[in-house]
Amino acid sequence: MTQLRTVQVLGGGSAGSSAHVRSLASGLVARGVRVTVCAPAELDHAYDFRGAGAHFVPVPRLGGPATLAMLRNAFIGADVVHAHGLHASVRATLALAGGVRAPALVTTWHTRGHADGARGGLVRLLERRSVRAAAVVLGTSSELVDRARRRGARDARLAPVSVPASRAPVCLHDGKARAELGAVDRPLLMAVGALVPERGYGMLLDAARVWRDLDPQPLLVIAGEGRERAALQRRIEEEGLAVRLIGRRDDVAELLAAADVAVLTSRWESRSLLAQEALRLGVPLVATAVGGVPELVGDAAELVPWGDAEALAAAVRGLLEDVDRRMDLAAAGRVQARTWPTEDETIAHVLSVYDELVGR
């Protein structure tokens, strides 16, 4: 029997899509599939695709003829090319164009772009081109599946996607972590994600200004880096907010497990890593009711409208003042997490799609 050969393509590589590809690579290799991962070199350093048994081809973040040539070479002999995200999908589509024996193209949409005006029109154009070139488009939420169909996808399906839980042992309300963050005798709130406008940290700081009359005043810790760091830090200092920006961390699960409440304020999310980790750990979550978040968390989190700092502050305040509600959400979160697909189910589903396409 001929060995199935796949190429996984990442563009910018968000944390969710990169972790998903790492999990896929490991699971597919274990099932006898030959896997090549094409991605920026720094992603292999962070996610160790080679350690998963995959062949790795470093591809620059910036496109161009040389990048497309590298992808074309990597695609030679492949049965399936699987692109993750719009950036990767457009590159894969261009690299496959005109091929005599082109492999089947599968695209997974992990998130969606946010752009207005001319840039928004360009995003829609690229979405249309990439989904129409794909044999199958997998969406990580129902909303993304509907969006792909509106853009002209021939075959768009909801994909079970599991991002591996942290393997590190964690301890809820760990005293060492709280001491390091400066929250020994005060509530600890935790947010995680890149410091970019789409994460809604401006709204989060608005809420922090509202709840600072609490005694003791909670400490909000934000883990992540990005272009908004300087502006956020300046505002924190000018307004005297009890907020710490701690940059990128490798121990996010441990820090999150020490928190009293996790906060997710994104403008849009599909399967938020923070939401998944919080519910798995039994950390009460307050999140914006956007994208795939309600579908992901069910009744196991407090949901608030995007952009409503008052509602966000009220939800956080309510949880901090109600221990029973926090305990109920913690229990509900663990129950909800058990309804999500496992890594094995995710890998089996993707492999079934590959087999179907190769069989065609």
Side-chain angles (χ1 to χ4, degrees), residues 59-243:
V59 177
R61 286 182 182 271
L62 297 178
T67 299
L68 294 181
M70 294 172 70
L71 290 174
R72 288 191 188 101
N73 287 335
F75 294 169
I76 294 173
D79 298 297
V80 178
V81 170
H82 191 162
H84 298 264
L86 181 60
H87 186 186
S89 299
V90 171
R91 283 182 165 190
T93 298
L94 293 173
L96 289 169
V100 177
R101 186 209 170 262
L105 176 62
V106 177
T107 292
T108 293
W109 278 10
H110 295 268
T111 186
R112 50 170 284 187
H114 297 282
D116 301 313
R119 182 171 173 78
L122 176 60
V123 169
R124 290 190 292 274
L125 177 65
L126 294 176
E127 288 177 343
R128 284 196 294 271
R129 178 165 185 175
S130 64
V131 300
R132 290 174 182 179
V136 175
V137 179
L138 301 175
T140 57
S141 70
S142 300
E143 184 177 331
L144 287 175
V145 173
D146 292 340
R147 184 182 179 92
R149 288 172 178 160
R150 290 196 302 271
R151 297 290 185 259
R154 291 173 286 169
D155 186 344
R157 312 177 189 180
L158 182 64
V161 175
S162 172
V163 174
S166 172
R167 300 291 194 265
V170 294
C171 178
L172 286 174
H173 305 294
D174 178 62
K176 181 179 178 182
R178 292 177 74 94
E180 179 202 339
L181 296 172
V184 174
D185 298 317
R186 63 198 303 190
L188 175 62
L189 313 176
M190 190 81 195
V192 181
L195 306 184
V196 294
E198 293 79 11
R199 292 290 183 176
Y201 291 133
M203 176 180 80
L204 186 52
L205 296 191
D206 290 342
R209 192 172 58 219
V210 173
W211 68 52
R212 64 181 170 185
D213 63 334
L214 288 173
D215 185 19
Q217 184 180 177
L219 173 66
L220 169 63
V221 173
I222 303 175
E225 277 296 351
R227 63 182 183 275
E228 281 205 309
R229 181 177 184 121
L232 292 171
Q233 187 62 52
R234 185 164 54 250
R235 184 177 166 191
I236 290 166
E237 293 171 0
E238 289 175 352
E239 299 182 21
L241 302 176
V243 180

